[in-house]
């Protein structure tokens, strides 16, 4: 009888590593996210001298989230499958990553007509910009640009990502380096 109790104790106390990565249905309320994000922006503003530094700091904060999110999603969603082309990884970002982080896919993905190294992801109403006044939307959207940059760097698609406010939506401009585009051929 003592042997069965010992085996029961072993199975009940599994370590964090042994537990499966469930999809989970946990959602963060928009007001809680808005509060934490506003604190991040205020803290970043208190540490800088110029507006460009704020954009850089928000992008750096998002970059770390992007690195970790790709790893988590690749285990959950893709069974460790690596995306091999630019279009595959951008579609992964536009759909799977966006749904995981923001609850809906991004509005659109397009390639630039002028520059084949540039791609655009459009989002009409980014969650990070929901409670931000209009002149500061592009600044706060740099947080999401940092997330995108982190995901792409972790997937070995070297690029630069910036955010631009265009009419009624935010455009994330992704410019891949020439080495990445050379792999596409």
């Amino acid at each position: 009888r003592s042997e069965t109790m010992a085996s029961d104790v072993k199975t009940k106390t599994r370590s964090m590593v042994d537990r499966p990565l469930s999809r989970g249905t946990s959602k963060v309320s928009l007001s809680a996210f808005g509060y934490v994000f506003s604190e991040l922006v205020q803290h970043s503003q208190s540490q800088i001298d110029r507006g460009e530094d704020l954009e850089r700091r928000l992008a750096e904060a998002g970059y770390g989230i992007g690195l970790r999110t790709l790893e988590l999603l690749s285990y959950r969603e893709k069974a460790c499958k690596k995306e091999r082309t630019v279009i595959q990884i951008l579609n992964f970002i536009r759909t799977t990553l966006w749904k995981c982080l923001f609850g809906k896919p991004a509005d659109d993905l397009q390639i630039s007509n002028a520059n084949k190294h540039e791609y655009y992801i459009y989002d009409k109403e980014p969650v990070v910009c929901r409670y931000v006044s209009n002149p500061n939307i592009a600044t706060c959207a740099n947080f999401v640009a940092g997330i995108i940059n982190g995901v792409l760097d972790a997937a070995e698609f070297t690029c630069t990502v910036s955010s631009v406010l265009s009419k009624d939506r935010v455009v994330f401009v992704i410019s891949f380096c020439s080495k990445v585009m050379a792999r596409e051929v």
Side-chain angles (χ1 to χ4, degrees), residues 86 117 156-158 176-185:
V86 169
H117 293 232
E156 298 176 358
F157 289 91
T158 309
F176 290 98
C177 75
S178 55
K179 286 193 287 186
V180 171
M181 297 312 289
R183 290 189 318 215
E184 291 292 305
V185 179

Side-chain angles (χ1 to χ4, degrees), residues 31-47 54 57-58 61 128 132 140 143:
S31 61
F33 173 77
Y35 175 74
V36 171
F37 185 71
S38 72
E39 289 298 315
L40 172 68
V41 172
Q42 288 176 15
H43 175 72
S44 297
Q45 282 178 327
S46 69
Q47 304 293 317
L54 177 61
R57 287 185 66 103
L58 290 174
V128 297
V132 177
C140 289
F143 178 72

Side-chain angles (χ1 to χ4, degrees), residues 102 104 123-130 137 141 144 170 172:
F102 307 121
K104 66 177 184 72
D123 198 349
K124 201 167 252 188
E125 190 177 318
V127 172
V128 297
C129 302
R130 186 162 292 167
I137 287 178
V144 178
V170 176
F172 299 98

